[in-house]
Amino acid sequence: MSFVEDVVNYSGVVMTEDGRRLYGIDADTYEKVKTKIGPEVSQKVTEWIEGMVKHRLIDRNNLWVSLRDGIVLCQLINVIRPNVVPKYNTITKEGQEIHFLQAQENIQLYLKACQKIGLTDADMFSVPDLYSNKCMSQVINNIYSLSRKASALGIQGSGSTPSLAPVLARRNSARPAAPRPVEPKRWAPVQTHATPLHVDSLPSRRTNPSPQSSMDLSSMLIEHEKQIDVLKREVRDLKIQNRFQFFAGLAVAAFWLLKRFWFR
């Protein structure tokens, strides 16, 4: 995945290519892994992972090859929170690679564990980002965020390998402070004096029906019922007439056929 040029405004907010807003350390992480994913960054990430899992990676010069099967990631997350991934796919024989479906399952287990320990959606990546090497910058962004989480929990790797969080903290201290927002102008309240309204002064819309209007309504209903009865009778007569015409036509057609073929 190729990154487009991001929009960084004066308030310190970084807009990513997919429309997300990043602030503070997250913005620094995004800028760092986007603009400088070189040997230096990969070496720091490799050293930190090796210090956490306490063994060397498969390929120290290619981070994607070392992390592609998801085994090292599951080991790493288990160091930060023990048994958060209780079971994952591993290599049974030395030099043998696991199936690609098992590797993708390991990556999914790792991502679910990252959500369990409190990483946000901005810190996550998708399975193709790592397995298909589509966006390794987002994978490194996730590892940087995981490093900050481990540092906050007081978990350090073996040896003298430093955490990645202090590096980002130094970069964040050199970042210009965001300008203070301008407070909106406050207008003085307008004093209004409402005229009291009495309910008795309002005109009443409810009127009691008179006996004459009730009689007129009853007579109208009776008249409508009579008209409906007349219409029903007319419809019934039309149905009877149509049926008579239909059967008469059948009789004429039958007589014509008999006369033509039987009495020939």
Side-chain angles (χ1 to χ4, degrees):
M1 179 182 295
S2 61
F3 284 91
V4 298
E5 185 178 359
D6 300 325
V7 179
V8 182
N9 57 26
Y10 293 102
S11 62
V13 181
V14 175
M15 294 290 296
T16 64
E17 65 173 359
D18 54 358
R20 292 178 296 152
R21 290 185 174 89
L22 301 180
Y23 307 88
I25 296 179
D26 291 333
D28 290 332
T29 305
Y30 182 80
E31 287 182 325
K32 183 178 182 63
V33 300
K34 177 185 71 68
T35 57
K36 191 180 180 183
I37 307 176
E40 182 181 357
V41 175
S42 299
Q43 184 67 22
K44 289 181 180 180
V45 173
T46 301
E47 290 177 358
W48 181 77
I49 294 176
E50 289 178 345
M52 295 293 288
V53 299
K54 299 180 182 180
H55 66 78
R56 294 175 64 88
L57 299 184
I58 299 174
D59 190 347
R60 303 186 83 249
N61 297 323
N62 193 332
L63 192 61
W64 172 67
V65 174
S66 301
L67 303 180
R68 184 186 182 189
D69 55 9
I71 297 176
V72 175
L73 294 178
C74 292
Q75 295 173 351
L76 176 62
I77 199 72
N78 279 336
V79 171
I80 297 175
R81 177 173 292 183
N83 229 11
V84 67
V85 183
K87 186 178 180 181
Y88 55 91
N89 303 298
T90 57
I91 298 175
T92 56
K93 297 181 181 180
E94 186 177 356
Q96 181 181 2
E97 295 183 358
I98 64 176
H99 195 267
F100 73 96
L101 294 177
Q102 295 176 328
Q104 293 180 4
E105 184 181 4
N106 286 345
I107 299 173
Q108 291 176 354
L109 292 173
Y110 167 77
L111 294 175
K112 291 180 180 178
C114 288
Q115 292 178 342
K116 290 181 181 179
I117 67 174
L119 266 64
T120 62
D121 293 339
D123 301 327
M124 307 301 288
F125 61 90
S126 63
V127 175
D129 289 343
L130 174 57
Y131 187 80
S132 302
N133 197 12
K134 288 188 175 181
C135 187
M136 280 300 296
S137 60
Q138 192 64 25
V139 178
I140 295 179
N141 178 33
N142 170 266
I143 297 176
Y144 269 63
S145 302
L146 190 64
S147 168
R148 293 198 305 271
K149 190 67 177 180
S151 179
L153 296 175
I155 301 173
Q156 299 292 337
S158 63
S160 59
T161 303
S163 172
L164 299 178
V167 178
L168 297 177
R170 290 194 298 269
R171 285 173 55 85
N172 188 52
S173 61
R175 195 179 180 88
R180 298 181 60 183
V182 180
E183 296 183 358
K185 187 176 180 180
R186 298 181 179 178
W187 298 91
V190 179
Q191 299 294 334
T192 58
H193 301 281
T195 304
L197 182 63
H198 298 285
V199 180
D200 297 338
S201 62
L202 296 175
S204 178
R205 295 186 178 181
R206 297 182 60 184
T207 57
N208 296 325
S210 61
Q212 183 66 28
S213 60
S214 300
M215 293 178 61
D216 295 341
L217 182 60
S218 300
S219 61
M220 290 176 60
L221 290 175
I222 294 173
E223 186 66 26
H224 281 299
E225 290 179 356
K226 290 181 179 179
Q227 294 179 0
I228 291 173
D229 291 338
V230 172
L231 290 175
K232 287 182 178 179
R233 286 196 298 269
E234 291 179 355
V235 170
R236 186 172 62 252
D237 294 340
L238 287 175
K239 287 182 178 180
I240 294 173
Q241 183 179 359
N242 290 335
R243 290 176 183 175
F244 176 76
Q245 292 178 356
F246 174 74
F247 287 112
L250 285 178
V252 172
F255 176 76
W256 183 82
L257 291 173
L258 287 173
K259 181 179 178 181
R260 183 174 180 85
F261 298 103
W262 187 264
F263 299 105
R264 177 177 295 181

